[in-house]
Every structure is written in structure tokens, then in C-alpha cells.
């Protein structure tokens, strides 16, 4: 195993089953509707590409890029849109696709921001969830897997911009990796 990997937390076969379960649920819940799936870059790119190919609905795909600024130790954050989505979501059924919900602050602010654009509905689908670290009172409507308070890499998730290409979700092997 590479020296930056402590251990494999979720093997690719398990991830695949998780994605199928989420896709089936979304396909059922939005039957007869057209959806807009918005991937939050960069972490969601692999999850999104797996997920959309398993969803049997008409859809428009778009992307956003955001960065979060947290003021000191305060549990309030501001989300800045680095790249906005291209389409107008007014009156549309929107699903935000995230890699992981950690403190939940990014998601909370992103949701508030997108709700001002008057979508017909707005839900969140997150591959992973670290409920132990939550600061904002928020949960994704669709969650792949709950994970312990460890810093994970792979399947799109990075440490310092690296390791997104690992096919399994792994626990990072460096001291201080949990922030
Ligand atoms: P939060 O929910 O606002 O705290 O931030 C969530 C974002 O932090 C995610 O979209 C990831 O980019 C990043 N993040 C949180 N936990 C991890 C992790 O374990 N590995 C890699 N990125 C993480
Ligand atoms: Mg992210």
C-alpha cells in the first residue's frame, strides 16, 4: 500500500453498491420529472459521473465551484462562488451533488444561496457524511455512507489537491490529517 494510505475504508465494490442504491432512490423519487444535477467541484466529479449513469431520468448536468471561508473558530461560514452554474434553476428540480458533508457549513450556505433562485425543489445528495463533526444543523436528503471522524482520500476526495484518483476510499496516513 502507498505510504500515504493508512488503510482502505470503503472498497470500490461497496462504493458501487452505494451509488446504485442512491441512483435507484432518486430515479423513483423523481419519476415523471426532469431534474438538474449540480456537481460541486472538484470533489464530486467521480461520484457524479458514476451516479448520473445509473439514474434513469431526463436531466441537465451542471457544475459549480465554491470556496469556504471560516472566520476564526466561529461556527459561521461564508461561501464564495468561484464558478457559478450556467443554467437558470428557477422552477426546476435541483439536486446538489457533494463529495462529503463535514461541518455542513458549505452546504448550508450553498443551499441558502440557491434557494433565492426559486427552484421548484432543492435537495442534496452526498457520497459521504461525517456526522460527528457537524456544526450546521443540516443533513443531505440522500447520503451514501456515514463515516467515522477520519480524513479520507480517494474517489474524488483530496488531501492538498492529491489522491483524488484512488479508486477506493482510504484513510490518509499522515499525522494531523484530521485537521
Ligand atoms: P464542510 O461540510 O463545510 O465542513 O466542508 C465540506 C468540504 O470539506 C467537502 O466538500 C470536502 O471538500 C472537504 N472535506 C471534508 N472532509 C474531508 C475529508 O475527509 N477528505 C477530503 N475532503 C474533505
Ligand atoms: Mg468539496
Amino acid at each position: 500500500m502507498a505510504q500515504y494510505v493508512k488503510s482502505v475504508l470503503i472498497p470500490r465494490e461497496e462504493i458501487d453498491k452505494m451509488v446504485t442504491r442512491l441512483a435507484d432512490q432518486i430515479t423513483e423519487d423523481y419519476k415523471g420529472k426532469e431534474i438538474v444535477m449540480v456537481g460541486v467541484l472538484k470533489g464530486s466529479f467521480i461520484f457524479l459521473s458514476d451516479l448520473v449513469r445509473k439514474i434513469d431520468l431526463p436531466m441537465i448536468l451542471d457544475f459549480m465551484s465554491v470556496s469556504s471561508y471560516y472566520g476564526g473558530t466561529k461556527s459561521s461560514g461564508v461561501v464564495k462562488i468561484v464558478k457559478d452554474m450556467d443554467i437558470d434553476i428557477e422552477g426546476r428540480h435541483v439536486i446538489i451533488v457533494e463529495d462529503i458533508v463535514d461541518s455542513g457549513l458549505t452546504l448550508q450556505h450553498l443551499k441558502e444561496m440557491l434557494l433565492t433562485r426559486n427552484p421548484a425543489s432543492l435537495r442534496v445528495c452526498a457520497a459521504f457524511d461525517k456526522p460527528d463533526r457537524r456544526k450546521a444543523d443540516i443533513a443531505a436528503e440522500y447520503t451514501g455512507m456515514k463515516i467515522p471522524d477520519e480524513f479520507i482520500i480517494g474517489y474524488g476526495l483530496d488531501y492538498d489537491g492529491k489522491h483524488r484518483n484512488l479508486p477506493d476510499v482510504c484513510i490518509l496516513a499522515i499525522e494531523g490529517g484530521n485537521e
Side-chain angles (χ1 to χ4, degrees), residues 11-103:
R12 64 199 78 176
E13 298 80 12
E14 240 182 275
I15 299 172
D16 188 63
K17 281 187 219 154
M18 169 274 267
V19 177
T20 302
R21 175 176 57 78
L22 291 173
D24 288 351
Q25 188 65 54
I26 290 170
T27 301
E28 194 183 310
D29 291 354
Y30 289 85
K31 209 178 221 158
K33 298 188 174 107
E34 183 181 270
I35 59 172
V36 175
M37 300 208 75
V38 183
V40 183
L41 294 169
K42 303 171 184 166
S44 72
F45 83 109
I46 294 179
F47 174 48
L48 182 78
S49 65
D50 282 347
L51 185 68
V52 295
R53 285 178 290 171
K54 291 175 189 267
I55 294 176
D56 184 17
L57 292 171
M59 73 165 73
I60 296 172
L61 200 53
D62 210 338
F63 293 94
M64 282 186 88
S65 181
V66 298
S67 63
S68 314
Y69 297 101
Y70 299 152
T73 55
K74 291 261 171 63
S75 63
S76 64
V78 179
V79 170
K80 187 180 148 215
I81 297 178
V82 177
K83 185 225 173 284
D84 206 342
M85 64 181 93
D86 296 326
I87 69 155
D88 181 2
I89 58 170
E90 184 165 353
R92 294 184 181 276
H93 296 285
V94 179
I95 303 175
I96 303 170
V97 180
E98 262 280 24
D99 50 359
I100 186 166
V101 184
D102 186 21
S103 71

Side-chain angles (χ1 to χ4, degrees), residues 4 152-154 156-166 172:
Y4 48 81
I152 58 170
I153 51 172
L157 289 110
D158 72 304
Y159 173 67
D160 203 16
K162 290 176 272 193
H163 317 311
R164 294 191 196 275
N165 58 312
L166 296 175
L172 182 71

Side-chain angles (χ1 to χ4, degrees), residues 103-160:
S103 71
L105 293 172
T106 307
L107 199 54
Q108 186 181 48
H109 288 272
L110 188 57
K111 258 189 119 169
E112 275 169 20
M113 218 150 43
L114 296 186
L115 279 172
T116 66
R117 301 180 185 183
N118 301 317
S121 67
L122 181 64
R123 287 183 180 173
V124 176
C125 178
F128 309 106
D129 184 14
K130 281 196 237 179
D132 294 348
R133 291 182 34 101
R134 198 72 88 253
K135 287 181 187 155
D137 183 20
I138 194 163
E141 285 79 3
Y142 302 98
T143 300
M145 283 180 202
K146 291 201 165 101
I147 60 163
D149 184 9
E150 300 272 9
F151 198 86
I152 58 170
I153 51 172
Y155 198 67
L157 289 110
D158 72 304
Y159 173 67
D160 203 16

